[in-house]
């Protein structure tokens, strides 16, 4: 498997354009800047398809753009106001096609049902995924017959939650991937006894690995897509400390 990493999605789209990719798969087609990149991609790759795949439970929202001015601007440029809505997007792959169509009936012709649920796919491909995303905060050679606590942050880290779970052992914090290193370092310095999982690691993989290591895994989150997808794991529990 040949994997290349890019610092931004737009740079990745440009790379795919230069290499004449027949199919482009992106996590979101929303936004004027994204639309600009999609236009350029189609100019140089007229016969290629642009496809969106489910990025999270936000994929089903139809109220992302609230500003009337933005809605007009987006409509005039063919930009998406909801996932899969760009004029240049051919298909959107989702885990719940019926829910997507219910929320976006005008895009029903674009919706494609993903056959397997996300948890099943992760389980089947966990070896490759753990090689691609090694989790440095976890010790692969040790198992614990104990409980662990995992806090999955949103765009802001909540110090009060950290303070409340600090009374326990085996605490892990998974920052949101959009948080910058300098933002996270402030909290790491304050809470050195806590194990921090790299922000770029998918939270779903961290949940899976911790659920293997520990007898019980209590998860604190704020409407996390990761918990939604992994909630069928028998030994994980949702804890509300928000």
């Amino acid at each position: 498997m040949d994997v290349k990493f890019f610092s931004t999605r737009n740079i990745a789209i440009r790379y795919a354009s230069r290499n004449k990719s027949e199919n482009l798969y992106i996590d979101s087609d929303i936004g004027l800047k994204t639309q600009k990149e999609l236009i350029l991609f189609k100019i140089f790759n007229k016969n290629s398809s642009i496809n969106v795949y489910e990025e999270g439970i936000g994929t089903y929202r139809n109220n992302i753009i609230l500003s009337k001015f933005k809605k007009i601007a987006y409509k005039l440029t063919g930009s998406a106001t909801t996932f899969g809505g760009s004029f240049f997007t051919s298909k959107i792959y989702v885990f719940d096609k019926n829910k997507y169509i219910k929320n976006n009936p005008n895009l029903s012709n674009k919706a494609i049902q993903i056959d397997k649920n996300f948890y099943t796919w992760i389980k089947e491909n966990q070896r490759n995924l753990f090689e691609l995303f090694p989790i440095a905060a976890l010790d692969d050679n040790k198992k614990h017959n104990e409980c662990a606590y995992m806090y999955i942050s949103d765009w802001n880290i909540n110090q009060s939650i950290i303070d409340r779970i600090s009374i326990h052992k085996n605490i892990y914090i998974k920052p949101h991937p959009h948080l910058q290193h300098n933002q996270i370092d402030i909290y790491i310095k304050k809470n050195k006894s806590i194990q921090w999982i790299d922000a770029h690691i998918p939270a779903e993989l961290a949940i899976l690995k911790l659920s293997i290591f520990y007898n019980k895994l209590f998860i604190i989150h704020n409407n996390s897509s990761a918990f939604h997808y992994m909630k069928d794991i028998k030994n994980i529990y949702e804890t509300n400390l928000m």
Side-chain angles (χ1 to χ4, degrees), residues 47-58:
N47 297 321
S48 299
S49 67
I50 297 172
N51 309 280
V52 176
Y53 58 89
E54 180 165 350
E55 193 272 338
I57 55 179

Side-chain angles (χ1 to χ4, degrees), residues 71-195:
K71 285 183 178 180
I72 293 172
Y74 280 35
K75 185 175 182 179
L76 290 174
T77 57
S79 302
T81 58
T82 187
F83 287 83
S86 169
F87 176 81
F88 298 102
T89 298
S90 302
K91 303 293 182 183
I92 178 167
Y93 292 80
V94 292
F95 290 107
D96 192 337
K97 180 179 177 180
N98 292 333
K99 183 177 180 180
Y100 180 82
I101 292 175
K102 181 181 178 180
N103 294 339
N104 304 285
N106 59 313
L107 300 174
S108 60
N109 62 314
K110 293 186 178 184
I112 303 294
Q113 176 70 45
I114 299 174
D115 292 335
K116 294 181 180 179
N117 67 53
F118 198 22
Y119 173 56
T120 300
W121 183 87
I122 290 173
K123 284 284 289 182
E124 291 178 354
N125 295 277
Q126 61 180 306
R127 177 176 293 181
N128 288 334
L129 289 170
F130 286 138
E131 287 181 3
L132 185 60
F133 298 102
I135 305 177
L138 302 179
D139 182 357
D140 288 352
N141 299 317
K142 187 186 296 182
K143 289 188 178 181
H144 305 272
N145 293 318
E146 299 178 1
C147 299
Y149 290 79
M150 180 182 181
Y151 167 38
I152 304 174
S153 85
D154 53 18
W155 288 55
N156 296 291
I157 296 175
N158 190 324
Q159 181 64 47
S160 64
I161 291 178
I162 298 176
D163 293 339
R164 277 179 276 177
I165 63 176
S166 293
I167 62 173
H168 302 287
K169 297 189 300 181
N170 307 319
I171 301 169
Y172 297 85
I173 296 179
K174 168 59 181 68
H176 192 279
H178 286 160
L179 286 170
Q180 300 298 316
H181 288 297
N182 59 338
Q183 294 173 286
I184 299 170
D185 288 343
I186 295 171
Y187 292 93
I188 292 177
K189 290 176 182 177
K190 288 181 182 177
N191 308 274
K192 295 181 179 179
S193 62
I194 293 173
Q195 298 186 71

Side-chain angles (χ1 to χ4, degrees), residues 10 13-26 29 33-51 77-78 86-91 110:
N10 288 343
I13 293 174
R14 292 169 203 167
Y15 176 86
S17 178
R18 290 196 303 271
N19 285 270
K20 305 297 180 183
S21 299
E22 293 182 5
N23 298 286
L24 177 69
Y25 293 89
I26 53 177
D29 57 350
K33 290 182 179 179
T34 298
Q35 184 73 345
K36 174 187 172 184
E37 295 298 332
L38 298 184
I39 291 172
L40 292 173
F41 179 86
K42 288 297 289 185
I43 288 175
F44 296 105
N45 301 271
K46 293 181 180 179
N47 297 321
S48 299
S49 67
I50 297 172
N51 309 280
T77 57
S86 169
F87 176 81
F88 298 102
T89 298
S90 302
K91 303 293 182 183
K110 293 186 178 184

Side-chain angles (χ1 to χ4, degrees), residues 208-220:
L208 177 60
K209 183 155 280 193
L210 286 170
S211 72
I212 295 171
F213 286 175
Y214 292 97
N215 188 38
K216 292 182 179 180
L217 175 61
F218 295 94
I219 298 177
I220 304 97

